[in-house]
Amino acid sequence: MITTRRHLFLLATLGFTTLAQAAENPFMGRWALTLQGDRAGWLGVEEKGGALSSSVLWGGGSVLPTDGTKIEGDSLIVTRLSNAKRKDKQGKEITEKVTETLTVKVSGDSLTGSTVKAKADGKTFGQAEFVGKRIPAIPATPDLAKVKFGEPVNLFNGKDLSGWRLIKADDLNGWGVEDGALINRVVKEPGKHFGNLRTDAEFEDFNLKLEVRTQENSNSGIYLRGIYEVQVMESFGRPLDSHHMGALYSRITPSVAAEKAIGEWQTMDITLVDRHLTVILNGKTIIDNQPVLGCTGGALTSDESKPGPLFLQGDHTNVDFRNMVLRPVVK
């Protein structure tokens, strides 16, 4: 789903909820969620013109606006509508309307919730529980000219996978080294799941420079601290979108299109400081020191206070990387 202007405005305003607003309505603000299976999620709630609205990230995928937000007693009730496909006894595909209801309670800066899905006939399924923590206010925009960076760390030696490992050891490993490049080769077959690759080392704030080469229909990503995905995608010639090359996935749309054509090496210069992101793609600044409002789909955790690994998404398609150098921020 493409992010709308209204959605972008909602996400921007959620970053600056005041203490007074939060005191009037304890649900207001941004929440880091931990879902079943330790998956990362996110909930943002705002009040405007006397009406509540919200957006949700539910494990994977995009941050999306919800279809209903209201308070009943001591609970926040959030509803999401979707279509589910299934096959009937004759093997014919059927599309059903599904309503998911999130019931949320808040105590101070902690949140507990439950979710349940209901079909059009009222039958329920998919019950689950989740917890969350209020996300602290975003720091002031950093002056990058005054930020001190430490000695460069070579993340990839161009010879082997030293310093890297699969996030899930049981996944298939499509990663290898060819002509000095870190390559991922995926075979799309039923039952085969290829793994994401992470650094052994973990980092806080940093500058990262690398080169990437997309293959046909490449869809990958670079996860900063295992939390924020900078998108890697074969999107040359396409309109600007928060899901295209260099975007902060579903959160920040590049200001200009700077992709190169398929098969060309492209440079990425990524800086993460105080929850603000800068991305320079092929010499053009496409995200300029913008605030990051929360985790992205597929994050290892929703806790933005933790250091974490760099990880490369490898479960989708083929992609190549090389010359990966990180300079940590010196505090």
Side-chain angles (χ1 to χ4, degrees), residues 235-264:
S235 55
F236 179 73
R238 301 186 187 183
L240 295 175
D241 192 278
S242 64
H243 302 82
H244 288 175
M245 186 73 167
L248 182 64
Y249 191 81
S250 86
R251 286 197 179 275
I252 303 178
T253 301
S255 58
V256 295
E259 300 96 322
K260 290 184 179 180
I262 185 172
E264 294 189 45

Side-chain angles (χ1 to χ4, degrees), residues 180-254:
L182 176 62
I183 68 170
N184 185 51
R185 297 296 180 263
V186 175
V187 179
K188 288 292 186 180
E189 292 181 5
K192 287 191 174 183
H193 187 273
F194 286 78
N196 301 321
L197 193 69
R198 60 156 287 174
T199 56
D200 292 331
E202 298 191 346
F203 308 97
E204 294 186 65
D205 288 352
F206 53 80
N207 170 261
L208 171 68
K209 291 183 173 68
L210 57 83
E211 292 179 79
V212 60
R213 180 171 60 188
T214 57
Q215 306 295 320
E216 184 177 1
N217 298 319
S218 280
N219 181 3
S220 181
I222 303 161
Y223 279 77
L224 315 179
R225 289 197 288 152
I227 301 173
Y228 312 121
E229 181 189 6
V230 175
Q231 174 75 328
V232 172
M233 183 182 178
E234 176 45 49
S235 55
F236 179 73
R238 301 186 187 183
L240 295 175
D241 192 278
S242 64
H243 302 82
H244 288 175
M245 186 73 167
L248 182 64
Y249 191 81
S250 86
R251 286 197 179 275
I252 303 178
T253 301

Side-chain angles (χ1 to χ4, degrees), residues 122-140:
K123 292 183 179 179
T124 61
F125 67 103
Q127 293 92 342
E129 296 183 349
F130 57 94
V131 296
K133 293 288 186 182
R134 189 185 302 277
I135 299 174
I138 294 175

Side-chain angles (χ1 to χ4, degrees), residues 139-147 272-277 289-290:
T141 303
D143 183 348
L144 297 182
K146 296 180 180 179
V147 175
L272 178 66
V273 177
D274 290 341
R275 285 188 278 159
H276 285 75
L277 178 68
N289 212 6
Q290 295 298 304

Side-chain angles (χ1 to χ4, degrees), residues 155 160-165 198-201:
L155 298 178
D160 56 38
L161 298 182
S162 297
W164 297 82
R165 68 178 188 267
R198 60 156 287 174
T199 56
D200 292 331

